[in-house]
Amino acid sequence: MFGLFGLWRTFDSVVFYLTPIVGLGGPVGNGLVLWNLGFHIKKGPFSIYLLHLAAADFLFLSCPVGFSVAQAALGAQDTLYFVLTFLWFAVGLWLLAAFSVERCLSDLFPACYQGCRPRHASAVLCALVWTPTLPALPLPANACGLLRNSACPLVCLRYHVASVTWFLVLARVAWTAGVVLFVWVTCCSTRPRPRLYGIVLGALLLLFFCGLPSVFYWSLQPLLNFLLPMFSPLATLLACVNSSSKPLIYSGLGRQPGKREPLRSVLRRALGEGAELGARGQSLPMGLL
């Protein structure tokens, strides 16, 4: 019994200090993506999603780092941490689902997509993701007593069921779009594989292995805290890996083997060239994309 307790304490300490270490690299990588996509790479329909996704990941990763430092210094936990991480994770999941669906539709129906898609659809969708999410999530947090001492259990339960259901729907939509895109590009399409195809699949694999544990934890928090107390820090660590690894995917897909290039050139090749073609009305699904 005491051996298991000591093992748990060691595991908790390792995960606790590993989380800010992983999280420290994530804001740097996402900050570089934000800087280059925001100011140095011409934005197209898909790179706009990646710009907003990098912003959501940057904000999400700032929470574990900031609150871990505060907890280590003050020895106290703040319920506001749960609210903020849930908020930025929700925005990122929204954006990933929208990006996956649009990337899938652009390959399945290229002519209809180019002819019917409004020019500023990506920017409008991103704004629609941020605008209702920011005021909506504090409402269930307030009802559940995370922002004040009193709570309304029945209202909290309703909000909880609705938010968890919506999370699972978004994850399923993103995964369905990714699977359809994978099958289409692998088995049906005769075009070269688009570069953003790799970004979609990489981001969805990260979501499945590193992001969904956080959804499960938020869905079953009281039960998991009682049965598996080590699940909470592990889910937080995996969520940090999920948000920190996307810039590595962009860099890996944009880098040419055997060549040393500035990061801006690598990101421009991975994120900018296809987006510029799409913005000019040329064929989005071709190789540069």
Side-chain angles (χ1 to χ4, degrees), residues 93-185:
L93 187 55
W94 266 86
L95 293 169
L96 181 59
F99 171 58
S100 303
V101 169
E102 185 160 347
R103 176 68 267 188
C104 179
L105 292 177
S106 71
D107 262 34
L108 292 177
F109 312 105
C112 180
Y113 175 82
Q114 295 175 40
C116 302
R117 182 187 185 278
R119 181 177 180 182
H120 301 291
S122 298
V124 172
L125 284 174
C126 289
L128 290 176
V129 168
W130 287 95
T131 303
T133 306
L134 294 179
L137 283 182
L139 295 177
N142 185 58
C144 295
L146 296 177
L147 300 180
R148 59 179 184 177
N149 294 328
S150 59
C152 303
L154 185 59
V155 178
C156 176
L157 180 61
R158 292 174 180 172
Y159 275 128
H160 183 74
V161 171
S163 60
V164 169
T165 302
W166 187 239
F167 260 45
L168 295 176
V169 168
L170 287 176
R172 187 169 183 175
V173 167
W175 255 97
T176 301
V179 171
V180 171
L181 180 63
F182 174 77
V183 173
W184 174 259
V185 172

Coordinates of all heavy atoms in Angstrom, one line a residue, residues 93-185:
L93 N -10.6 23.0 -30.6 CA -11.3 21.9 -31.2 C -12.3 22.4 -32.2 O -12.5 21.8 -33.3 CB -12.0 21.2 -30.1 CG -12.7 19.9 -30.5 CD1 -11.8 18.9 -31.1 CD2 -13.4 19.2 -29.2
W94 N -13.0 23.5 -32.0 CA -13.8 24.1 -33.0 C -13.1 24.4 -34.3 O -13.5 24.1 -35.4 CB -14.4 25.4 -32.4 CG -15.7 25.4 -31.8 CD1 -16.0 25.1 -30.5 CD2 -17.0 25.7 -32.4 NE1 -17.3 25.2 -30.2 CE2 -18.0 25.6 -31.4 CE3 -17.4 26.1 -33.7 CZ2 -19.3 25.8 -31.6 CZ3 -18.7 26.3 -33.9 CH2 -19.7 26.2 -32.9
L95 N -11.9 25.1 -34.1 CA -11.1 25.5 -35.3 C -10.6 24.3 -36.1 O -10.6 24.2 -37.3 CB -10.0 26.4 -34.9 CG -10.4 27.7 -34.3 CD1 -9.2 28.4 -33.6 CD2 -10.9 28.6 -35.4
L96 N -10.2 23.2 -35.4 CA -9.7 22.0 -36.0 C -10.8 21.3 -36.8 O -10.5 20.8 -37.9 CB -9.0 21.1 -35.0 CG -8.4 19.8 -35.5 CD1 -7.3 20.1 -36.5 CD2 -7.9 18.9 -34.4
A97 N -12.0 21.3 -36.2 CA -13.1 20.7 -36.9 C -13.4 21.4 -38.2 O -13.6 20.8 -39.3 CB -14.3 20.6 -36.0
A98 N -13.5 22.8 -38.1 CA -13.8 23.6 -39.3 C -12.7 23.4 -40.4 O -13.0 23.3 -41.6 CB -13.9 25.0 -38.9
F99 N -11.5 23.4 -39.9 CA -10.3 23.3 -40.9 C -10.4 21.9 -41.6 O -10.2 21.8 -42.8 CB -9.0 23.5 -40.1 CG -7.8 23.1 -40.9 CD1 -7.5 23.8 -42.1 CD2 -6.9 22.2 -40.4 CE1 -6.4 23.5 -42.8 CE2 -5.8 21.9 -41.1 CZ -5.5 22.5 -42.3
S100 N -10.6 20.9 -40.8 CA -10.7 19.5 -41.4 C -11.8 19.4 -42.4 O -11.6 18.8 -43.5 CB -10.8 18.5 -40.3 OG -9.8 18.6 -39.3
V101 N -13.0 19.9 -42.0 CA -14.1 19.8 -42.9 C -13.9 20.6 -44.2 O -14.1 20.1 -45.3 CB -15.4 20.3 -42.2 CG1 -16.6 20.4 -43.2 CG2 -15.8 19.3 -41.1
E102 N -13.3 21.8 -44.1 CA -13.1 22.6 -45.3 C -12.0 22.0 -46.2 O -12.1 22.0 -47.4 CB -12.8 24.0 -45.0 CG -12.7 24.9 -46.2 CD -12.8 26.4 -45.9 OE1 -13.2 26.7 -44.8 OE2 -12.5 27.2 -46.8
R103 N -11.0 21.4 -45.6 CA -9.9 20.8 -46.4 C -10.5 19.6 -47.1 O -10.1 19.3 -48.2 CB -8.8 20.4 -45.4 CG -7.7 19.6 -46.0 CD -6.8 20.4 -47.0 NE -7.3 20.3 -48.4 CZ -6.6 20.7 -49.4 NH1 -5.5 21.5 -49.3 NH2 -7.1 20.5 -50.6
C104 N -11.4 18.8 -46.4 CA -12.0 17.6 -47.0 C -12.9 18.0 -48.2 O -12.8 17.4 -49.3 CB -12.8 16.9 -46.0 SG -13.6 15.4 -46.6
L105 N -13.7 19.0 -48.0 CA -14.6 19.5 -49.1 C -13.9 20.0 -50.3 O -14.3 19.8 -51.4 CB -15.6 20.5 -48.5 CG -16.6 20.1 -47.5 CD1 -17.4 21.3 -47.0 CD2 -17.5 19.0 -48.1
S106 N -12.7 20.7 -50.1 CA -12.0 21.2 -51.2 C -11.4 20.2 -52.0 O -11.1 20.4 -53.2 CB -10.9 22.2 -50.6 OG -9.9 21.4 -50.0
D107 N -11.1 19.0 -51.5 CA -10.6 17.9 -52.3 C -11.7 17.0 -52.9 O -11.6 16.6 -54.1 CB -9.8 16.9 -51.4 CG -8.3 17.3 -51.5 OD1 -8.0 18.4 -51.7 OD2 -7.5 16.3 -51.4
L108 N -12.8 16.9 -52.2 CA -13.9 16.1 -52.8 C -14.7 16.8 -53.9 O -15.0 16.2 -54.9 CB -14.9 15.7 -51.7 CG -14.4 14.7 -50.6 CD1 -15.5 14.5 -49.5 CD2 -14.0 13.4 -51.2
F109 N -14.9 18.1 -53.7 CA -15.7 18.9 -54.7 C -14.9 20.2 -55.1 O -15.3 21.3 -54.7 CB -17.0 19.3 -54.1 CG -17.8 18.1 -53.5 CD1 -17.8 18.0 -52.1 CD2 -18.3 17.1 -54.3 CE1 -18.5 16.9 -51.5 CE2 -19.0 16.0 -53.7 CZ -19.1 15.9 -52.3
P110 N -13.8 20.0 -55.8 CA -12.9 21.2 -56.0 C -13.6 22.3 -56.9 O -13.5 23.5 -56.5 CB -11.7 20.6 -56.7 CG -12.2 19.3 -57.3 CD -13.2 18.8 -56.3
A111 N -14.3 21.9 -57.9 CA -15.0 22.9 -58.8 C -16.1 23.6 -58.0 O -16.2 24.9 -58.1 CB -15.5 22.2 -60.0
C112 N -16.9 22.9 -57.3 CA -18.0 23.5 -56.5 C -17.4 24.4 -55.4 O -18.0 25.4 -55.1 CB -18.9 22.4 -56.0 SG -20.3 23.0 -55.1
Y113 N -16.4 23.9 -54.8 CA -15.8 24.6 -53.7 C -15.2 25.9 -54.1 O -15.5 27.0 -53.5 CB -14.7 23.7 -53.1 CG -13.9 24.4 -52.0 CD1 -14.4 24.5 -50.7 CD2 -12.7 25.0 -52.2 CE1 -13.6 25.1 -49.7 CE2 -11.9 25.6 -51.3 CZ -12.4 25.7 -50.0 OH -11.7 26.3 -49.0
Q114 N -14.5 25.9 -55.2 CA -13.9 27.2 -55.7 C -15.0 28.2 -56.2 O -14.8 29.4 -56.1 CB -12.9 26.9 -56.8 CG -11.7 26.1 -56.3 CD -10.8 25.8 -57.4 OE1 -10.5 26.5 -58.4 NE2 -10.2 24.5 -57.4
G115 N -16.1 27.6 -56.8 CA -17.1 28.5 -57.4 C -18.1 29.1 -56.4 O -18.5 30.2 -56.5
C116 N -18.3 28.3 -55.3 CA -19.4 28.7 -54.4 C -18.9 29.3 -53.1 O -19.7 29.9 -52.3 CB -20.3 27.5 -54.1 SG -21.1 26.7 -55.5
R117 N -17.6 29.0 -52.8 CA -17.1 29.5 -51.4 C -16.9 31.0 -51.4 O -16.3 31.6 -52.2 CB -15.7 28.8 -51.2 CG -15.2 29.1 -49.8 CD -13.7 28.6 -49.7 NE -13.2 28.8 -48.4 CZ -12.6 29.9 -48.0 NH1 -12.6 30.9 -48.8 NH2 -12.2 30.0 -46.8
P118 N -17.5 31.6 -50.4 CA -17.3 33.1 -50.2 C -15.8 33.4 -50.0 O -15.1 32.6 -49.3 CB -18.2 33.5 -49.0 CG -19.2 32.4 -49.0 CD -18.5 31.1 -49.4
R119 N -15.4 34.5 -50.4 CA -14.0 34.8 -50.3 C -13.5 34.9 -48.9 O -12.4 34.4 -48.6 CB -13.7 36.2 -51.0 CG -12.2 36.6 -51.0 CD -12.0 37.9 -51.7 NE -10.6 38.3 -51.8 CZ -10.2 39.4 -52.3 NH1 -11.0 40.2 -52.9 NH2 -8.9 39.7 -52.3
H120 N -14.2 35.4 -48.0 CA -13.8 35.6 -46.6 C -14.5 34.6 -45.6 O -14.6 34.9 -44.4 CB -14.1 37.0 -46.1 CG -13.5 38.1 -46.9 ND1 -12.1 38.3 -46.9 CD2 -14.0 39.0 -47.8 CE1 -11.8 39.3 -47.7 NE2 -12.9 39.8 -48.3
A121 N -14.8 33.4 -46.2 CA -15.5 32.4 -45.3 C -14.7 32.0 -44.1 O -15.2 31.8 -43.0 CB -15.9 31.2 -46.2
S122 N -13.4 31.8 -44.3 CA -12.5 31.3 -43.2 C -12.4 32.3 -42.1 O -12.6 32.0 -40.9 CB -11.1 31.0 -43.8 OG -11.1 30.0 -44.7
A123 N -12.3 33.6 -42.4 CA -12.2 34.6 -41.4 C -13.5 34.8 -40.7 O -13.5 34.9 -39.4 CB -11.8 36.0 -42.0
V124 N -14.6 34.6 -41.4 CA -15.9 34.7 -40.8 C -16.2 33.6 -39.8 O -16.7 33.7 -38.7 CB -17.1 34.8 -41.8 CG1 -18.4 34.7 -41.2 CG2 -16.9 36.1 -42.6
L125 N -15.8 32.4 -40.3 CA -16.0 31.2 -39.4 C -15.2 31.2 -38.2 O -15.6 30.9 -37.1 CB -15.7 29.9 -40.2 CG -16.7 29.5 -41.2 CD1 -16.2 28.3 -42.1 CD2 -18.0 29.1 -40.5
C126 N -13.9 31.7 -38.3 CA -13.0 31.8 -37.1 C -13.6 32.9 -36.2 O -13.6 32.6 -34.9 CB -11.6 32.3 -37.6 SG -10.7 30.9 -38.4
A127 N -14.2 34.0 -36.7 CA -14.8 34.9 -35.8 C -16.0 34.4 -35.1 O -16.2 34.6 -33.9 CB -15.2 36.2 -36.6
L128 N -16.8 33.5 -35.8 CA -17.9 32.9 -35.2 C -17.5 31.9 -34.2 O -18.3 31.6 -33.3 CB -18.8 32.2 -36.3 CG -19.5 33.2 -37.2 CD1 -20.2 32.4 -38.3 CD2 -20.5 34.1 -36.5
V129 N -16.4 31.3 -34.3 CA -15.9 30.4 -33.2 C -15.5 31.1 -32.0 O -15.9 30.8 -30.9 CB -14.7 29.6 -33.8 CG1 -14.0 28.8 -32.6 CG2 -15.1 28.6 -34.8
W130 N -14.7 32.2 -32.1 CA -14.3 32.9 -31.0 C -15.4 33.7 -30.3 O -15.5 33.7 -29.0 CB -13.2 33.9 -31.4 CG -11.9 33.3 -31.7 CD1 -11.4 33.0 -33.0 CD2 -10.8 33.0 -30.8 NE1 -10.2 32.5 -32.9 CE2 -9.8 32.5 -31.6 CE3 -10.6 33.1 -29.4 CZ2 -8.6 32.0 -31.0 CZ3 -9.5 32.7 -28.9 CH2 -8.4 32.1 -29.6
T131 N -16.3 34.3 -31.0 CA -17.3 35.2 -30.4 C -18.2 34.6 -29.5 O -18.4 35.0 -28.3 CB -18.0 35.9 -31.6 OG1 -17.1 36.6 -32.4 CG2 -19.0 36.9 -31.0
P132 N -18.9 33.4 -29.8 CA -19.8 32.8 -28.9 C -19.1 32.0 -27.8 O -19.7 31.8 -26.7 CB -20.7 31.9 -29.7 CG -19.9 31.6 -30.9 CD -19.0 32.7 -31.1
T133 N -17.9 31.5 -28.1 CA -17.3 30.6 -27.1 C -16.8 31.4 -25.9 O -16.9 30.9 -24.7 CB -16.1 29.9 -27.7 OG1 -16.6 29.2 -28.9 CG2 -15.5 28.9 -26.8
L134 N -16.3 32.6 -26.1 CA -15.7 33.4 -25.0 C -16.7 33.7 -23.9 O -16.5 33.5 -22.7 CB -15.0 34.6 -25.5 CG -13.8 34.4 -26.4 CD1 -13.2 35.7 -26.9 CD2 -12.7 33.6 -25.7
P135 N -17.9 34.2 -24.3 CA -18.9 34.4 -23.2 C -19.7 33.2 -22.8 O -20.3 33.2 -21.7 CB -19.9 35.4 -23.8 CG -19.8 35.2 -25.3 CD -18.4 34.7 -25.6
A136 N -19.7 32.1 -23.6 CA -20.6 31.0 -23.3 C -20.0 30.1 -22.2 O -20.8 29.6 -21.4 CB -20.9 30.2 -24.6
L137 N -18.7 29.8 -22.3 CA -18.2 28.9 -21.3 C -18.1 29.4 -19.9 O -18.3 28.6 -18.9 CB -16.8 28.5 -21.7 CG -16.7 27.5 -22.9 CD1 -15.3 27.1 -23.2 CD2 -17.5 26.2 -22.6
P138 N -18.0 30.7 -19.6 CA -18.1 31.1 -18.2 C -19.4 30.9 -17.6 O -19.6 30.8 -16.3 CB -17.8 32.6 -18.2 CG -16.9 32.7 -19.4 CD -17.4 31.8 -20.4
L139 N -20.5 30.7 -18.4 CA -21.8 30.5 -17.8 C -21.9 29.2 -17.1 O -22.3 29.1 -15.9 CB -22.9 30.6 -18.9 CG -23.1 31.9 -19.6 CD1 -24.1 31.8 -20.7 CD2 -23.5 33.0 -18.5
P140 N -21.5 28.0 -17.7 CA -21.5 26.8 -16.9 C -20.5 26.8 -15.8 O -20.8 26.2 -14.7 CB -21.2 25.7 -17.9 CG -20.6 26.4 -19.1 CD -21.2 27.8 -19.1
A141 N -19.4 27.5 -15.9 CA -18.4 27.6 -14.8 C -19.0 28.3 -13.6 O -18.8 27.9 -12.5 CB -17.1 28.3 -15.3
N142 N -19.8 29.3 -13.9 CA -20.4 30.1 -12.8 C -21.5 29.2 -12.1 O -21.6 29.2 -10.9 CB -21.0 31.4 -13.4 CG -21.6 32.2 -12.3 OD1 -20.9 32.6 -11.3 ND2 -22.9 32.5 -12.4
A143 N -22.3 28.5 -13.0 CA -23.3 27.6 -12.4 C -22.8 26.5 -11.6 O -23.4 26.0 -10.6 CB -24.2 27.1 -13.5
C144 N -21.5 26.0 -11.9 CA -20.9 24.9 -11.2 C -20.1 25.3 -10.0 O -19.4 24.5 -9.4 CB -20.1 24.1 -12.1 SG -21.1 23.2 -13.5
G145 N -20.1 26.6 -9.7 CA -19.4 27.1 -8.6 C -17.9 27.3 -8.7 O -17.2 27.5 -7.8
L146 N -17.4 27.4 -10.0 CA -16.0 27.6 -10.2 C -15.6 29.0 -10.2 O -14.4 29.3 -10.0 CB -15.6 27.0 -11.6 CG -15.8 25.4 -11.7 CD1 -15.4 25.0 -13.2 CD2 -14.9 24.7 -10.7
L147 N -16.6 29.9 -10.4 CA -16.3 31.3 -10.3 C -16.8 32.0 -9.1 O -16.6 33.2 -8.8 CB -16.9 32.0 -11.6 CG -16.3 31.5 -12.9 CD1 -17.0 32.3 -14.1 CD2 -14.8 31.7 -13.0
R148 N -17.6 31.3 -8.3 CA -18.1 31.8 -7.0 C -18.3 30.6 -6.1 O -18.2 29.5 -6.4 CB -19.5 32.5 -7.3 CG -20.5 31.6 -7.9 CD -21.8 32.4 -8.1 NE -22.9 31.5 -8.5 CZ -24.1 31.8 -8.8 NH1 -24.5 33.1 -8.5 NH2 -25.0 31.0 -9.2
N149 N -18.7 30.9 -4.8 CA -18.8 29.9 -3.8 C -20.0 29.0 -4.0 O -20.0 27.8 -3.7 CB -18.7 30.5 -2.4 CG -17.4 31.1 -2.1 OD1 -16.3 30.7 -2.6 ND2 -17.4 32.2 -1.3
S150 N -21.1 29.6 -4.3 CA -22.4 28.9 -4.5 C -22.5 28.3 -5.8 O -22.0 28.8 -6.8 CB -23.6 29.8 -4.2 OG -23.6 30.9 -5.1
A151 N -23.2 27.1 -5.9 CA -23.4 26.4 -7.2 C -24.9 26.0 -7.3 O -25.6 25.9 -6.3 CB -22.5 25.2 -7.2
C152 N -25.3 25.8 -8.6 CA -26.6 25.3 -8.9 C -26.5 23.9 -9.5 O -26.2 23.8 -10.7 CB -27.3 26.2 -9.8 SG -27.5 27.9 -9.2
P153 N -26.6 22.8 -8.7 CA -26.2 21.5 -9.2 C -27.0 21.1 -10.5 O -26.4 20.5 -11.4 CB -26.6 20.6 -8.1 CG -26.5 21.5 -6.9 CD -26.9 22.8 -7.3
L154 N -28.3 21.4 -10.5 CA -29.1 20.9 -11.7 C -28.7 21.7 -12.9 O -28.6 21.1 -14.0 CB -30.6 21.1 -11.3 CG -31.6 20.6 -12.4 CD1 -31.4 19.1 -12.6 CD2 -33.0 20.9 -12.0
V155 N -28.6 23.0 -12.8 CA -28.1 23.8 -13.9 C -26.7 23.4 -14.4 O -26.4 23.3 -15.6 CB -28.2 25.3 -13.6 CG1 -27.7 26.2 -14.8 CG2 -29.6 25.7 -13.2
C156 N -25.9 23.1 -13.4 CA -24.5 22.7 -13.7 C -24.5 21.4 -14.5 O -23.8 21.3 -15.5 CB -23.7 22.6 -12.4 SG -22.0 21.9 -12.6
L157 N -25.4 20.5 -14.1 CA -25.4 19.2 -14.8 C -25.9 19.3 -16.2 O -25.4 18.7 -17.1 CB -26.4 18.2 -14.0 CG -26.6 16.9 -14.6 CD1 -25.3 16.1 -14.7 CD2 -27.6 16.1 -13.8
R158 N -26.9 20.2 -16.4 CA -27.3 20.5 -17.8 C -26.3 21.1 -18.7 O -26.0 20.6 -19.8 CB -28.6 21.4 -17.7 CG -29.8 20.8 -17.1 CD -30.9 21.8 -17.0 NE -32.1 21.2 -16.4 CZ -33.2 21.9 -16.0 NH1 -33.2 23.2 -16.2 NH2 -34.2 21.3 -15.5
Y159 N -25.6 22.1 -18.1 CA -24.5 22.7 -18.9 C -23.4 21.6 -19.2 O -22.8 21.6 -20.3 CB -23.9 23.8 -18.1 CG -24.6 25.1 -18.3 CD1 -25.0 25.9 -17.2 CD2 -24.8 25.7 -19.6 CE1 -25.7 27.1 -17.3 CE2 -25.5 26.9 -19.7 CZ -25.9 27.6 -18.6 OH -26.5 28.8 -18.8
H160 N -23.1 20.8 -18.2 CA -22.0 19.8 -18.3 C -22.4 18.8 -19.4 O -21.5 18.5 -20.3 CB -21.8 19.1 -17.0 CG -20.7 18.1 -17.0 ND1 -19.4 18.5 -17.0 CD2 -20.7 16.7 -17.1 CE1 -18.6 17.4 -17.1 NE2 -19.4 16.4 -17.1
V161 N -23.6 18.3 -19.4 CA -24.0 17.3 -20.4 C -24.0 18.0 -21.8 O -23.5 17.4 -22.8 CB -25.4 16.8 -20.1 CG1 -25.9 15.9 -21.3 CG2 -25.4 16.0 -18.8
A162 N -24.4 19.2 -21.9 CA -24.5 19.9 -23.2 C -23.0 20.1 -23.8 O -22.8 19.9 -24.9 CB -25.2 21.2 -23.1
S163 N -22.1 20.6 -22.9 CA -20.8 20.9 -23.3 C -20.0 19.7 -23.7 O -19.3 19.6 -24.7 CB -20.0 21.7 -22.2 OG -19.9 20.9 -21.0
V164 N -20.2 18.6 -22.9 CA -19.5 17.3 -23.3 C -20.0 16.7 -24.6 O -19.2 16.3 -25.4 CB -19.6 16.3 -22.1 CG1 -19.2 14.9 -22.5 CG2 -18.8 16.8 -20.9
T165 N -21.3 16.8 -24.7 CA -21.9 16.3 -26.0 C -21.4 17.1 -27.2 O -21.1 16.5 -28.2 CB -23.5 16.4 -25.9 OG1 -23.9 15.6 -24.8 CG2 -24.1 15.8 -27.2
W166 N -21.3 18.4 -27.0 CA -20.8 19.2 -28.1 C -19.3 18.9 -28.4 O -18.9 18.9 -29.6 CB -21.0 20.7 -27.8 CG -20.7 21.6 -28.9 CD1 -19.8 22.6 -28.9 CD2 -21.3 21.6 -30.2 NE1 -19.8 23.2 -30.2 CE2 -20.7 22.7 -31.0 CE3 -22.3 20.8 -30.8 CZ2 -21.1 22.9 -32.3 CZ3 -22.7 21.1 -32.1 CH2 -22.1 22.1 -32.9
F167 N -18.6 18.7 -27.4 CA -17.1 18.4 -27.5 C -17.0 17.1 -28.4 O -16.2 17.0 -29.3 CB -16.5 18.2 -26.2 CG -15.7 19.4 -25.7 CD1 -16.2 20.6 -25.9 CD2 -14.4 19.2 -25.2 CE1 -15.5 21.7 -25.5 CE2 -13.7 20.3 -24.8 CZ -14.2 21.6 -24.9
L168 N -17.8 16.0 -28.0 CA -17.7 14.8 -28.7 C -18.2 14.9 -30.1 O -17.6 14.2 -31.0 CB -18.5 13.7 -27.9 CG -18.0 13.4 -26.5 CD1 -19.0 12.4 -25.8 CD2 -16.6 12.8 -26.6
V169 N -19.2 15.7 -30.4 CA -19.7 15.9 -31.7 C -18.6 16.6 -32.6 O -18.3 16.2 -33.7 CB -21.0 16.8 -31.7 CG1 -21.3 17.3 -33.1 CG2 -22.1 16.0 -31.2
L170 N -17.9 17.6 -32.0 CA -16.9 18.3 -32.8 C -15.7 17.3 -33.1 O -15.2 17.3 -34.2 CB -16.3 19.5 -32.0 CG -17.3 20.7 -31.9 CD1 -16.6 21.7 -31.0 CD2 -17.5 21.3 -33.3
A171 N -15.3 16.5 -32.1 CA -14.2 15.5 -32.3 C -14.6 14.5 -33.4 O -13.8 14.2 -34.2 CB -13.9 14.8 -31.0
R172 N -15.9 14.1 -33.3 CA -16.3 13.1 -34.3 C -16.4 13.7 -35.7 O -16.0 13.1 -36.7 CB -17.7 12.6 -33.9 CG -18.2 11.5 -34.8 CD -19.4 10.8 -34.3 NE -19.8 9.7 -35.1 CZ -20.8 8.8 -34.8 NH1 -21.5 9.0 -33.7 NH2 -21.1 7.8 -35.6
V173 N -16.8 15.0 -35.8 CA -16.9 15.7 -37.1 C -15.5 15.8 -37.7 O -15.2 15.5 -38.9 CB -17.5 17.0 -37.0 CG1 -17.3 17.9 -38.2 CG2 -19.0 16.9 -36.7
A174 N -14.5 16.2 -36.9 CA -13.1 16.4 -37.3 C -12.6 15.0 -37.8 O -11.9 15.0 -38.8 CB -12.3 17.0 -36.2
W175 N -12.8 14.0 -37.0 CA -12.2 12.7 -37.3 C -12.9 12.1 -38.6 O -12.2 11.5 -39.4 CB -12.4 11.7 -36.1 CG -11.1 11.5 -35.4 CD1 -10.7 12.1 -34.3 CD2 -10.1 10.6 -35.8 NE1 -9.4 11.7 -34.0 CE2 -9.0 10.8 -34.9 CE3 -9.9 9.8 -36.9 CZ2 -7.8 10.1 -35.0 CZ3 -8.7 9.0 -37.0 CH2 -7.7 9.2 -36.1
T176 N -14.2 12.3 -38.7 CA -14.9 11.8 -39.9 C -14.3 12.5 -41.2 O -14.1 11.8 -42.2 CB -16.4 12.1 -39.8 OG1 -16.9 11.4 -38.7 CG2 -17.1 11.5 -41.1
A177 N -14.1 13.8 -41.1 CA -13.6 14.5 -42.2 C -12.1 14.1 -42.5 O -11.8 13.9 -43.7 CB -13.6 16.0 -41.9
G178 N -11.4 13.8 -41.5 CA -10.0 13.3 -41.7 C -10.0 11.9 -42.3 O -9.2 11.7 -43.2
V179 N -10.9 11.0 -41.9 CA -10.9 9.7 -42.5 C -11.3 9.7 -43.9 O -10.8 9.0 -44.8 CB -11.8 8.8 -41.6 CG1 -12.1 7.4 -42.3 CG2 -11.2 8.5 -40.3
V180 N -12.4 10.5 -44.2 CA -12.8 10.7 -45.6 C -11.7 11.2 -46.5 O -11.5 10.7 -47.6 CB -14.1 11.6 -45.7 CG1 -14.5 11.9 -47.1 CG2 -15.3 10.9 -45.0
L181 N -11.0 12.2 -46.0 CA -9.9 12.8 -46.8 C -8.8 11.8 -47.0 O -8.3 11.7 -48.1 CB -9.4 14.0 -46.0 CG -8.2 14.8 -46.7 CD1 -8.6 15.3 -48.0 CD2 -7.7 15.9 -45.8
F182 N -8.5 11.0 -46.0 CA -7.4 10.0 -46.1 C -7.8 8.9 -47.2 O -7.0 8.6 -48.0 CB -7.2 9.3 -44.8 CG -6.3 8.1 -44.8 CD1 -4.9 8.3 -44.9 CD2 -6.8 6.8 -44.8 CE1 -4.0 7.3 -44.9 CE2 -5.9 5.8 -44.8 CZ -4.6 6.0 -44.9
V183 N -9.1 8.4 -47.1 CA -9.5 7.4 -48.1 C -9.5 8.0 -49.5 O -9.1 7.4 -50.4 CB -10.9 6.9 -47.7 CG1 -11.5 6.0 -48.7 CG2 -10.8 6.2 -46.3
W184 N -10.0 9.3 -49.6 CA -10.1 9.9 -50.9 C -8.7 10.1 -51.5 O -8.5 9.7 -52.7 CB -10.9 11.2 -50.8 CG -10.9 12.0 -52.1 CD1 -10.1 13.0 -52.4 CD2 -11.7 11.7 -53.2 NE1 -10.4 13.5 -53.7 CE2 -11.4 12.7 -54.2 CE3 -12.7 10.8 -53.5 CZ2 -12.0 12.7 -55.5 CZ3 -13.3 10.8 -54.8 CH2 -13.0 11.8 -55.7
V185 N -7.8 10.6 -50.8 CA -6.5 10.9 -51.3 C -5.7 9.6 -51.6 O -5.0 9.5 -52.6 CB -5.7 11.8 -50.4 CG1 -4.3 12.0 -50.8 CG2 -6.4 13.2 -50.3

